[in-house]
Amino acid sequence: MSVGQLWLLSWNGEALALGVIAGVADTFVLVWPATLPSEPSFPPALAVPTSPLGIEVSVWPTRETGVGRHLLHRNFGALLLPAAVRAAEHALEAGGQLPLQWVSSNIEQADLESASDAMVDRWESICLNVWPAPQVGFSPLDPESLRSVGVGVGDISRLLNLGTPDAVMLFSGEAAPTEQQLNCIADWADVDPSTLLSAGGDEATTALLSPSVKDDLVAISSMYGVSEAEARALVQREFALAARSDGTIPARLGAAIHRTLMGRAAR
């Protein structure tokens, strides 16, 4: 991914919006909202007469926002040159000639405020879509959180009436507790259940942020009848179970995704 590209953002198989990448970080991107002629357009949007979609696109640099990489779904190609993005930023911040023209408003003056508010609300919701996040019934326990509240393997074995091997798998994050098991441990430790869950291992989490695996995750979500977040948790757990195997992180992640898609993942 690179500055100037036009991307489709999605979650749970639903298209959320179009955005132009204005900056790239490890776990998120800065995007300018982008809208089509069928949507409300008005200054301070800028008009891009030609686009990879074959139609004019409006971009909104004054409404730049951070978006998690997990939402990036499809790259339509370069909408703007990186130099044009930087020139627009400089002109808006320091004054000067913009590289693009303001759009012509396609809505009535009386509707501007409500259209602007609707756009802000829409993008605030997108911005607040955060992953990774623990998923009850899918995410594993976090060993450090368990230790911090005095829960050990023996406690899990006793509380859940499990043999030592099964208790070790739960404690080490190689298996996910059911909601009932999680609540039992949390009640005994007198803590909020969500504080005992792990959002996932760093290696798998970082790799799962890549748009290259988005279609597979959507397929897993549909196959198992779960949310995209839960599909990601399934792959994270499968990755953790195979963590001792040889191979690069992308290869191990690919194998974990394949096993999950084939219905051979540990459930």
Side-chain angles (χ1 to χ4, degrees), residues 4 115 159 190 198:
L159 290 168
D190 194 25
S198 169

Side-chain angles (χ1 to χ4, degrees), residues 242-257:
R244 299 182 185 88
S245 64
D246 295 331
T248 64
I249 291 172
R252 286 159 50 197
L253 179 64
I257 288 174

